[in-house]
Amino acid sequence: MKLLKLTGFIFFLFFLPESLTLPTQPRDVENFNSTQKFIEENIEYITIIAFAQYVQEATFEEMEKLVKDMVEYKDRCMADKTLPECSKLPNNVLQEKICAMEGLPQKYNFSHCCSKVDAQRRLCFFYNKKSDVGFLPPFPTLDPEEKCQAYESNRESLLNHFLYEVARRNPFVFAPTLLTVAAHFEEVAKSCCEEQNKVNCFQTRAIPVTQYLKAFSSYQKHVCGALLKFGTKVVHFIYIAILSQKFPKIEFKELISLVEDVSSNYDGCCEGDVVQCIRDTSKVMNHICSKQDSISSKIKECCEKKILERGQCIINSNKDDRPKDLSLREGKFTDSENVCQERDADPDTFFAKFTFEYSRRHPDLSIPELLRIVQIYKDLLRNCCNTENPPGCYRYAEDKFNETTEKSLKMVQQECKHFQNLGKDGLKYHYLIRLTKIAPQLSTEELVSLGEKMVTAFTTCCTLSEEFACVDNLADLVFGELCGVNENRTINPAVDHCCKTNFAFRRPCFESLKADKTYVPPPFSQDLFTFHADMCQSQNEELQRKTDRFLVNLVKLKHELTDEELQSLFTNFANVVDKCCKAESPEVCFNEESPKIGN
């Protein structure tokens, strides 16, 4: 396999349209050819991602058989493109070959997907993906010396194993993101294997790669969930807000052209059509760079880079400077006598223009807050345009916008104050209790992961100058992950209501939830309160995970207790662990003290 030339091939937080139209402009042809060459050179990696995400339970050996089959298919088509099989969409070919693997559909329970064709089969494979990967064994780890020996003796095998293990545990992450992670992993391995202190090097340099994967995983699941639950219109407005903030000089007409290219029809990426996702990523980068004079002054150097390096450069570029002639407010949406008539003539364009004008004037606001303001404006006009004096009614729209922003700002300030008072661990335990009370039906691992991500939002943002937008954006991603990608996901009536009723106000909805009254706790089990000496042998991170899991399971079992009572039981647990790990015989101590924890 050729070296993965992927550094910088980042997925610019976009979801893209599937298109079979061949390019005709010289620059587009060059872009298409470069992307096609990249796909052909990395067909093995691309196949690993697709197979591992579609059939997460499959073994590495089963995946290798499909890779071999897909490479042979690629070679046949490169030799003779007129063959009938070469006219099919790559994702359809891949799924056909997965279905044709002897005994595999029955073994992993996806034969019902193989009886479908085209779009229905693609959706079936998508709905078969499992975000809760507790059924998989722990991520295999090698100590640094073993890792370096494996890299030096068989680099290709190590990278294939790594990509397979990461992809099957992240079934909704887009292929370009996973390919970038693999490229960064190789950079880390190459560099750290030359270091004397390999352990420290791997630990330090792996952190940003892991953070990158987690961030993109959350975002991609969030917006794919929005697409499936609310449709393309919500995604359309998300990107009007994002792009208007990043490129405030862009003309409205150009913005809509870009947004349509980005968000109109991106089912392929969310479904896991890896080839189309890569093609369309490149296509959008080309769109931005071909119109950079009218889009942004901050991306010139990015667009001079090789095609596979543009994405990361563009996403890391600063927001463009606000136009000097841009007024602080756009009066035509609140001061004009004809607002209702303009709305009625073309509602979608009218509200798109409002979102564009408000977003580029407020780079300090979060995307969820901008969407809330759009919804408030829609509701206000729905009411005002039915009164005798509409202008007298909607003239006070700015007051409504400021009111909701103030409310959201106070909520973030309170949460950051909470973080300062409780500290990182205290805040995490607070959210583990809260999240488990409102969604106890989720698995223990999911709840622990959500609690960690919520705390990350506060530890990352609460000391920044852009505290409000940062917290609100990241916390919204956590609730998006809780709601899940699949439109049929059901947790409990209250949570489902927040997930499906109004995308913009999802976070405030969750903040108002109490403990789920429909939940029936599992039967009491003394096993939950039984601990052994191995608790004392756990490394810090492992001990923390065991502690977090205990707290979640405790809340699930004693769901009716108040937060204070649960915190008291949790303190008992922490005291027992501390006491017994210092005892001469930890096992004897745990046998004596463990039964007292639940009393």
Side-chain angles (χ1 to χ4, degrees):
M1 186 182 298
K2 297 193 178 188
L3 178 66
L4 184 64
K5 301 166 186 172
L6 231 242
T7 304
F9 195 80
I10 212 167
F11 194 50
F12 182 40
L13 301 184
F14 291 153
F15 302 80
L16 306 157
E18 181 173 303
S19 170
L20 297 177
T21 307
L22 291 175
T24 55
Q25 298 300 317
R27 183 163 182 164
D28 291 339
V29 171
E30 178 190 350
N31 175 64
F32 180 86
N33 290 340
S34 299
T35 307
Q36 188 62 28
K37 184 181 178 185
F38 169 80
I39 290 168
E40 289 165 2
E41 288 179 347
N42 291 286
I43 190 67
E44 295 173 50
Y45 288 114
I46 290 167
T47 302
I48 290 170
I49 290 170
F51 185 63
Q53 289 187 324
Y54 281 139
V55 192
Q56 294 160 267
E57 305 92 333
T59 65
F60 184 79
E61 291 69 31
E62 288 165 335
M63 181 272 300
E64 283 186 309
K65 290 178 186 175
L66 181 68
V67 169
K68 184 170 179 270
D69 203 3
M70 285 299 290
V71 170
E72 289 172 358
Y73 163 77
K74 179 206 76 171
D75 292 341
R76 283 197 304 275
C77 289
M78 287 184 73
D80 184 2
K81 293 178 182 177
T82 64
L83 291 171
E85 63 179 337
C86 303
S87 64
K88 297 178 180 178
L89 288 170
N91 201 48
N92 286 353
V93 173
L94 184 83
Q95 291 183 350
E96 283 173 12
K97 290 187 179 298
I98 291 173
C99 287
M101 293 178 76
E102 190 177 351
L104 203 76
Q106 295 76 26
K107 181 179 178 183
Y108 298 121
N109 195 30
F110 63 90
S111 52
H112 59 293
C113 294
C114 296
S115 63
K116 303 178 189 294
V117 294
D118 299 332
Q120 265 131 16
R121 184 172 59 197
R122 291 197 297 271
L123 267 180
C124 185
F125 268 99
F126 169 76
Y127 287 132
N128 219 42
K129 292 182 177 184
K130 305 166 190 73
S131 58
D132 183 2
V133 293
F135 62 92
L136 293 176
F139 194 97
T141 55
L142 297 171
D143 71 47
E145 289 294 342
E146 291 175 320
K147 203 175 287 181
C148 291
Q149 286 172 12
Y151 180 71
E152 288 161 15
S153 62
N154 195 337
R155 164 195 165 276
E156 184 176 308
S157 176
L158 179 69
L159 289 178
N160 286 353
H161 273 91
F162 173 79
L163 197 52
Y164 158 76
E165 294 292 357
V166 172
R168 70 202 291 231
R169 287 170 174 79
N170 294 276
F172 297 106
V173 174
F174 298 167
T177 302
L178 291 173
L179 289 170
T180 302
V181 168
H184 289 327
F185 169 74
E186 180 169 20
E187 287 174 6
V188 170
K190 205 171 183 179
S191 173
C192 290
C193 288
E194 295 175 356
E195 294 287 328
Q196 192 116 28
N197 190 342
K198 295 179 176 63
V199 175
N200 184 59
C201 181
F202 272 106
Q203 286 177 344
T204 304
R205 294 201 55 190
I207 290 171
V209 180
T210 304
Q211 289 173 337
Y212 168 84
L213 175 61
K214 286 180 177 178
F216 272 75
S217 173
S218 290
Y219 184 82
Q220 288 163 1
K221 283 192 280 189
H222 178 70
V223 184
C224 283
L227 169 70
L228 290 163
K229 290 181 175 69
F230 298 96
T232 55
K233 192 174 283 189
V234 163
V235 178
H236 195 78
F237 276 91
I238 288 172
Y239 281 104
I240 291 174
I242 289 172
L243 296 173
S244 299
Q245 280 193 332
K246 190 166 184 69
F247 306 133
K249 291 179 180 177
I250 194 171
E251 294 291 332
F252 178 71
K253 187 177 178 182
E254 184 59 53
L255 170 77
I256 293 303
S257 171
L258 180 57
V259 167
E260 284 175 354
D261 201 19
V262 165
S263 67
S264 64
N265 224 346
Y266 52 85
D267 297 321
C269 282
C270 288
E271 287 176 13
D273 187 339
V274 295
V275 172
Q276 197 60 43
C277 202
I278 290 169
R279 281 178 180 158
D280 287 335
T281 302
S282 177
K283 182 181 174 184
V284 167
M285 292 303 111
N286 189 55
H287 181 147
I288 291 171
C289 288
S290 67
K291 302 281 184 69
Q292 58 180 296
D293 290 341
S294 60
I295 290 177
S296 173
S297 61
K298 298 285 178 89
I299 58 173
K300 188 174 186 297
E301 289 185 8
C302 296
C303 292
E304 290 171 354
K305 294 179 180 291
K306 292 179 182 179
I307 189 168
L308 301 183
E309 298 172 349
R310 290 179 185 173
Q312 188 162 2
C313 183
I314 290 174
I315 195 172
N316 289 335
S317 66
N318 293 325
K319 290 176 181 175
D320 210 345
D321 299 326
R322 178 174 160 158
K324 291 178 181 177
D325 60 347
L326 189 66
S327 59
L328 291 176
R329 61 184 291 270
E330 177 52 83
K332 68 181 179 182
F333 295 103
T334 54
D335 301 342
S336 169
E337 298 285 321
N338 303 316
V339 168
C340 295
Q341 291 90 324
E342 289 178 32
R343 181 204 66 168
D344 294 342
D346 187 350
D348 287 346
T349 301
F350 177 82
F351 287 113
K353 282 182 177 177
F354 171 77
T355 308
F356 163 65
E357 296 291 1
Y358 202 89
S359 299
R360 69 191 190 127
R361 285 170 168 79
H362 295 86
D364 54 319
L365 295 184
S366 66
I367 301 305
E369 184 61 23
L370 290 168
L371 297 180
R372 286 175 209 131
I373 287 167
V374 173
Q375 186 62 53
I376 284 169
Y377 187 52
K378 284 182 180 180
D379 293 343
L380 181 70
L381 290 189
R382 191 179 297 118
N383 176 51
C384 290
C385 292
N386 287 320
T387 64
E388 290 184 6
N389 180 18
C393 177
Y394 58 66
R395 187 173 293 125
Y396 302 102
E398 287 283 353
D399 293 340
K400 295 281 186 185
F401 305 156
N402 294 337
E403 188 181 308
T404 189
T405 299
E406 193 62 34
K407 191 175 178 183
S408 299
L409 180 61
K410 280 182 180 175
M411 184 167 69
V412 167
Q413 288 172 337
Q414 285 176 342
E415 288 167 330
C416 283
K417 189 176 179 182
H418 211 36
F419 163 58
Q420 289 161 0
N421 292 337
L422 292 175
K424 184 177 177 181
D425 287 342
L427 188 71
K428 180 168 66 171
Y429 300 145
H430 165 79
Y431 272 104
L432 287 176
I433 291 172
R434 172 154 175 67
L435 290 167
T436 306
K437 281 200 162 190
I438 66 173
Q441 294 83 359
L442 295 180
S443 73
T444 299
E445 291 303 322
E446 277 185 283
L447 288 162
V448 168
S449 174
L450 290 169
E452 288 174 348
K453 287 172 181 175
M454 188 62 84
V455 171
T456 298
F458 297 112
T459 55
T460 303
C461 303
C462 283
T463 56
L464 299 179
S465 57
E466 61 271 23
E467 174 183 278
F468 167 56
C470 182
V471 169
D472 204 35
N473 282 328
L474 292 186
D476 197 56
L477 293 187
V478 177
F479 288 119
E481 194 158 341
L482 189 158
C483 291
V485 177
N486 195 324
E487 64 179 324
N488 299 320
R489 176 173 166 106
T490 297
I491 299 170
N492 62 54
V495 169
D496 294 347
H497 171 78
C498 288
C499 288
K500 296 174 182 178
T501 302
N502 189 310
F503 182 79
F505 284 90
R506 194 154 59 176
R507 186 168 173 234
C509 182
F510 274 110
E511 293 298 335
S512 67
L513 289 187
K514 307 296 181 187
D516 177 29
K517 293 181 180 177
T518 67
Y519 176 67
V520 179
F524 178 82
S525 172
Q526 188 58 47
D527 290 345
L528 176 62
F529 301 100
T530 302
F531 304 98
H532 301 285
D534 61 354
M535 284 289 287
C536 308
Q537 295 158 5
S538 302
Q539 297 296 319
N540 286 343
E541 192 173 328
E542 186 188 355
L543 179 60
Q544 191 60 61
R545 296 288 289 183
K546 286 181 178 180
T547 301
D548 295 345
R549 284 195 290 267
F550 169 76
L551 179 55
V552 169
N553 288 326
L554 176 67
V555 179
K556 286 188 174 199
L557 184 66
K558 295 183 175 286
H559 197 250
E560 76 288 351
L561 296 185
T562 65
D563 290 4
E564 291 74 21
E565 289 169 326
L566 287 165
Q567 191 68 51
S568 175
L569 284 175
F570 183 65
T571 301
N572 290 347
F573 157 76
N575 290 339
V576 165
V577 171
D578 184 58
K579 176 182 177 181
C580 292
C581 286
K582 291 176 180 175
E584 195 171 323
S585 175
E587 189 69 30
V588 172
C589 178
F590 275 122
N591 288 338
E592 291 174 356
E593 298 293 330
S594 291
K596 301 175 186 177
I597 295 174
N599 297 328

